[in-house]
Amino acid sequence: MVCPQVCRTALAEEQAHSLATTNNWAHVDKAQVHRDWDTLYKKLVILIPDYPPYSPVIQELIAEHHKIVSRFYTPSKMAYIGMSLYYVEDPDMTKYYFAYHPGMASFLSEAIPFCAEAHLR
């Protein structure tokens, strides 16, 4: 397991670099990203009760989540894990995900590291 603080730092540094070099992600159609995330999270809500975070069906959706994130920038393994920590540590993010499902933030924080460990550097 990687150090949570290393992951938080990687997320902050990679996002700051990306924001600075892309004019605050001007290249991203943010409205489309939010529609795509909404669709993805609605799919996850249906599956959360029946599938663990590491299951292939969930990991397929987490890979889709990573593709959406990568429209902004491609996070390293550490930064992507840092994002999963952010989802449960930031009250606004937890509240956002709660609107989909009370356990969504926690579920994502468990599922994302499996994807990161398996597919990212």
Side-chain angles (χ1 to χ4, degrees), residues 4-35:
Q5 190 53 46
V6 169
C7 295
R8 288 181 195 99
T9 300
L11 175 65
E13 290 176 354
E14 290 178 29
Q15 283 186 344
H17 178 263
S18 178
L19 283 162
T21 59
T22 63
N23 191 25
N24 294 317
W25 296 324
H27 65 288
V28 178
D29 181 344
K30 294 173 185 79
Q32 184 62 53
V33 164
H34 286 284
R35 285 190 296 273

Side-chain angles (χ1 to χ4, degrees), residues 58-78:
I58 297 298
Q59 286 301 299
E60 191 173 304
L61 291 175
I62 298 303
E64 188 177 327
H65 178 271
H66 183 266
K67 286 180 186 176
I68 297 169
V69 168
S70 294
R71 293 180 201 170
F72 295 91
Y73 73 103
T74 304
S76 67
K77 175 172 71 172
M78 298 301 174

